[in-house]
Each structure stands twice: as C-alpha cells, then as structure tokens.
Amino acid sequence: MMSSGVLDVVIAPGNPDFDANGVARPPEDYSYEFVGGAETWNQLESGTHPAGWTLVEDKSSIEALMTGPVPSKLLVVPEVEQTLQFYRSGFCEAIDFTTCVDPPGETPPIETVPTLETMTKVGLNAVDENPEGFFLMIEGGAVDWAMHSIDYGRMIEEMVDFNKSVDAVASYLDADTNGNNWDNTLVLVTADHDHFLFGPDSDTVAFQPVQDNGPGVMPGGKFPVGGHSSQLVPVYARGPGSELLSEFADQLDSYSYREVEYGRGLYLDQTEIFQTMDQAMGFVPDGDVNAD
C-alpha cells in the first residue's frame, strides 16, 4: 500500500510502538508485523519514506484532520497495536463455544485511541476534493475476531462504532459536503461473510432470531458453530448505480423442508458487487452488466 503509487490515504491500527492497551512499549519489544518491517516504519517516523507519506499517530492530531487541509499522502496509525479497542484488557475468548457475556463498555475504552467514526471522517476529508471524484473503503474488521471469540460485548461495541461510521458518511452526503451528495455518490454497506448468529434456542428452533431483551440488557443469541458460515449477508445501497444490484441479483435462494419454505429469495455474489461499483464509476458500458 505504501509503494503502489495508487493510494492517497491509509488509516489503520498496528502501531509497533504500543501494545493492545495503547501503552508505549520499550524499543526491544516493538512489533513491526503490520507496518511492513522496521525499515519502512523508521522511514515513516522520520519523514523519509520514498513515496512521501506523512505519518500521524496521536489522537488529537488525528481528530484535527477531520476538517481542513491534509497531506497529499496521509498515513494514520493510532497509538495501539492490532485493533482500536477489541484486544484491550477484558478481552474474553470463549472456550468450547461457550459465551462471553461481558457487557459493552464494561472495560473502559482506551482514551488515547480514536474511533472508527473519527477515522471515517478523516478519510472523507482526505479524499473529497479531487475533481474526478473518490473511492473510499471503510472496514470494521475486529467484529470478525469478536465473533470468532464469541465475545458478545466486544462484538456489540464494534458494531456500534461501525454503525456510527455509516451515519457519518450519510450525514456527510446529506450536507452536500464539497459538492458530494446522494446524486453523485454511491454508498454500499455489506459484509464479506457470515458467522451464523441466531437466537438462544436456535439449536432446537431453526433460524430463531437474536432475542431482544430490552434496552441496556444483553441480547440472547447463540453461535451454532465457532467460525464462518455460507449464509447470505445483507447488502445495502444508496446513490447512483444502486439500481444495478437488482439486475445482478439473478440467483435464487429457496428450498422447502417438511412442507416449510425457507430461503432469502434473489441474491447476488460479491464479484457482482464489484461489477456494480465498476459500472457505476463509468468503466463498463451502460447496460452491459455482464462485461468483464
């Protein structure tokens, strides 16, 4: 990503100098796993990276980038290791698929680390003045690890921050910021896979929904398996090109068992989401939804 010559902004945790609680490490404990090695990181910190990246690390400096001018090659790496908040103290990893029931926020968040919502606003501000438009990909990645660990509290925390990030994008377009609005911007919200979360009795009640136990109370749920499933995931879209999704959705999920009908109806696959974006940006002739 640093040397491709394609990207203008990269924002992610993985800071070698800090641990999962945002505590500074001694130099002998630095971990360069997520930043391409010690040489690359040293170039970034010293401002000598050959691609001209500007590195920003501390929370207040990151928050300042939500508005105003930003460097042309902006790299934001908050002062924390693998994830923003998921691996901080209190992380619970279930054994034998039992349930971690720590409520969201029971362990206070790391105060020196920005939220995904903040980083979303920085990302938008970093790319939105290009007269040719922009492409921005935002991922709430740690919810995957929370589900693998069956840690319901951290799973909810991650989704709350993700939903706030979606709201930030919507508010940005509602306000016609720098001329970017719902008439000229396509927004797609989806997941890359499913984790098979159903209700608390779903081992005996097929496809039982997650149980809403009211505000402030942990919902009831169960993961029948501890990993991924092949279940369909939702795709939400708004903006020019969103209508293409219905054209691509030509596969049918439908079956019956003991005279009960199951299935989600028409669906599309992930490669067709790419084709939707590709065509919406004008790289595929209009109407040719099957073009390579």
Side-chain angles (χ1 to χ4, degrees):
M1 289 191 291
M2 298 296 96
S3 60
S4 67
V6 174
L7 303 179
D8 297 310
V9 58
V10 177
I11 307 175
N15 197 307
D17 305 354
F18 293 84
D19 67 15
N21 288 303
V23 177
R25 289 170 159 153
E28 62 269 20
D29 292 337
Y30 288 176
S31 173
Y32 300 99
E33 179 181 0
F34 304 103
V35 293
E39 181 180 0
T40 296
W41 184 249
N42 291 335
Q43 289 174 339
L44 291 166
E45 286 203 307
S46 64
T48 60
H49 192 277
W53 288 92
T54 297
L55 174 65
V56 180
E57 301 177 74
D58 68 278
K59 183 180 179 181
S60 60
S61 297
I62 294 170
E63 291 174 337
L65 294 169
M66 291 190 291
T67 58
V70 300
S72 59
K73 290 286 186 179
L74 174 64
L75 174 64
V76 175
V77 185
E79 296 175 334
V80 68
E81 190 189 20
Q82 290 189 59
T83 67
L84 296 176
Q85 298 287 349
F86 172 68
Y87 274 132
R88 73 187 190 277
S89 297
F91 157 67
C92 172
E93 186 163 17
I95 306 299
D96 297 329
F97 306 138
T98 57
T99 304
C100 297
V101 292
D102 56 315
E106 183 174 87
T107 301
I110 306 167
E111 294 296 332
T112 55
V113 174
T115 62
L116 181 65
E117 178 187 10
T118 293
M119 300 197 308
T120 295
K121 293 177 180 178
V122 172
L124 285 167
N125 186 46
V127 299
D128 71 349
E129 294 185 2
N130 190 324
E132 297 181 358
F134 64 87
F135 178 91
L136 182 65
M137 193 280 283
I138 303 163
E139 180 184 16
V143 68
D144 177 56
W145 294 347
M147 290 181 173
H148 278 299
S149 303
I150 315 182
D151 189 333
Y152 284 75
R154 297 289 164 95
M155 178 180 70
I156 292 170
E157 289 178 1
E158 293 296 324
M159 288 310 303
V160 167
D161 198 12
F162 180 81
N163 288 340
K164 288 181 178 179
S165 302
V166 175
D167 285 343
V169 173
S171 297
Y172 169 92
L173 294 173
D174 286 342
D176 192 30
T177 310
N178 285 339
N180 300 302
N181 52 57
W182 294 108
D183 292 329
N184 58 26
T185 307
L186 171 63
V187 176
L188 292 158
V189 182
T190 190
D192 61 348
H193 61 263
D194 176 78
H195 273 269
F196 220 68
L197 174 63
F198 285 108
D201 303 311
S202 55
D203 52 343
T204 58
V205 180
F207 305 109
Q208 181 191 37
V210 173
Q211 180 177 307
D212 183 357
N213 291 323
V217 181
M218 289 291 286
K222 179 177 289 185
F223 288 98
V225 295
H228 303 158
S229 81
S230 59
Q231 187 174 233
L232 297 174
V233 297
V235 182
Y236 303 96
R238 181 179 175 185
S242 57
E243 69 283 353
L244 296 170
L245 290 171
S246 60
E247 298 181 37
F248 284 114
D250 55 2
Q251 302 169 80
L252 182 63
D253 177 49
S254 178
Y255 62 98
S256 61
Y257 178 69
R258 294 182 178 177
E259 299 183 351
V260 177
E261 296 295 325
Y262 296 98
R264 302 278 183 143
L266 293 172
Y267 69 95
L268 69 163
D269 64 41
Q270 290 180 1
T271 63
E272 291 167 320
I273 294 176
F274 162 76
Q275 289 178 282
T276 297
M277 294 188 292
D278 199 37
Q279 184 168 329
M281 289 189 287
F283 297 131
V284 176
D286 290 342
D288 187 6
V289 297
N290 295 312
D292 292 332

